[in-house]
Amino acid sequence: INAEYGSCIHPPMSNQYHSANYWDARFRSEDEFDWYHKWKPTLKDQLEQLGLAPESQILVIGCGNSSLSRDMYDDGYENVTNVDFSSVVIPSMKVKNATRDMEWIEGNVLDMTSYCDDERFDFVIDKGCMDCILCGGDDAGGPTKKLKAALAECSRVLKPGGKFISESFADDRDQYYEDSDLSWGTNLLAPTSLPKPRCANVAVNGGNFYFLYVYNKN
């Protein structure tokens, strides 16, 4: 495996990915996994071009056991708040990152009112969380209704001029993200196609690209 990217083989999207029980079980035995791209070089280059600065207030939603926040912190971006609904992964990440002054919150992105004030963040970063919300579950109105709630919360916690950044396996997320009820306009990047990380002798499955969506709060 190319160490720059870590794990490059992503399992097919499962209809269990919306479930906290699924992730709790998985995180009990999995130490680290990154969906899509890691921080360096791809996301670092993209976010810095979009104005990410050391003083930026950053929220990473659905942080899981990813290396993203750790690598951002070690690269000088230290104002990072992480949220995940897994009661297993948040305590684990607190221990693993005990020497880093980051915030780790067990909570659901569908309703962040108990732990995230309005207009607190300059950047909200999603790396697969929205994809997981759309993966299934007919309870409480279904995945589309849940996604709408999550996007509304991301919009709420962003400062005016702040950016919602989402990396997805799908090239049609704008049909959900460009909602007139949200406080942002059309995708700034339309979206950007990012070549998938490659490993030696490992074929790329399901197309050659992931897709980056960027929305600027009004």
Side-chain angles (χ1 to χ4, degrees):
I1 295 177
N2 184 330
E4 181 179 28
Y5 294 108
S7 177
C8 320
I9 306 172
H10 305 296
M13 297 305 283
S14 163
N15 62 7
Q16 295 298 310
Y17 284 174
H18 70 287
S19 166
N21 290 335
Y22 167 85
W23 289 107
D24 283 347
R26 175 166 166 170
F27 289 140
R28 287 188 182 100
S29 60
E30 181 182 80
D31 179 60
E32 183 176 298
F33 185 85
D34 273 283
W35 292 99
Y36 314 144
H37 289 87
K38 297 184 76 171
W39 169 240
K40 290 182 179 180
T42 303
L43 294 181
K44 174 182 170 69
D45 291 346
Q46 293 289 334
L47 269 67
E48 288 180 344
Q49 290 177 38
L50 292 165
L52 186 74
E55 64 271 18
S56 298
Q57 295 292 326
I58 303 161
L59 175 65
V60 178
I61 59 172
C63 62
N65 57 11
S66 167
S67 64
L68 175 67
S69 298
R70 177 197 70 207
D71 292 347
M72 291 179 69
Y73 188 96
D74 291 350
D75 210 18
Y77 301 97
E78 298 183 356
N79 302 312
V80 182
T81 298
N82 303 276
V83 61
D84 200 286
F85 66 178
S86 170
S87 61
V88 173
V89 81
I90 290 297
S92 173
M93 293 300 278
K94 285 181 179 179
V95 171
K96 289 167 68 174
N97 292 278
T99 61
R100 299 176 178 90
D101 187 18
M102 288 189 284
E103 190 173 5
W104 299 91
I105 299 170
E106 180 189 338
N108 198 315
V109 70
L110 304 186
D111 183 1
M112 298 188 284
T113 52
S114 64
Y115 54 88
C116 284
D117 294 335
D118 295 355
E119 300 181 357
R120 175 180 170 185
F121 296 102
D122 300 295
F123 287 83
V124 173
I125 300 175
D126 157 47
K127 196 156 71 85
C129 180
M130 298 300 176
D131 286 343
C132 289
I133 291 172
L134 282 171
C135 277
D138 293 327
D139 54 308
T144 302
K145 183 176 180 179
K146 290 181 179 181
L147 183 68
K148 188 178 180 75
L151 290 170
E153 281 293 273
C154 291
S155 176
R156 178 184 66 80
V157 304
L158 275 173
K159 299 175 183 178
K163 291 179 173 63
F164 170 66
I165 297 174
S166 176
E167 187 174 13
S168 173
F169 72 89
D171 63 0
D172 62 352
R173 289 292 181 248
D174 48 3
Q175 67 176 304
Y176 302 108
Y177 293 170
E178 295 182 11
D179 187 326
S180 60
D181 290 336
L182 300 172
S183 300
W184 54 57
T186 56
N187 184 12
L188 297 180
L189 298 182
T192 294
S193 301
L194 303 177
K196 288 183 176 180
R198 293 177 180 270
C199 299
N201 301 318
V202 176
V204 173
N205 296 319
N208 294 318
F209 300 97
Y210 295 126
F211 301 92
L212 192 70
Y213 299 82
V214 180
Y215 293 90
N216 200 72
K217 184 173 179 178
N218 300 328

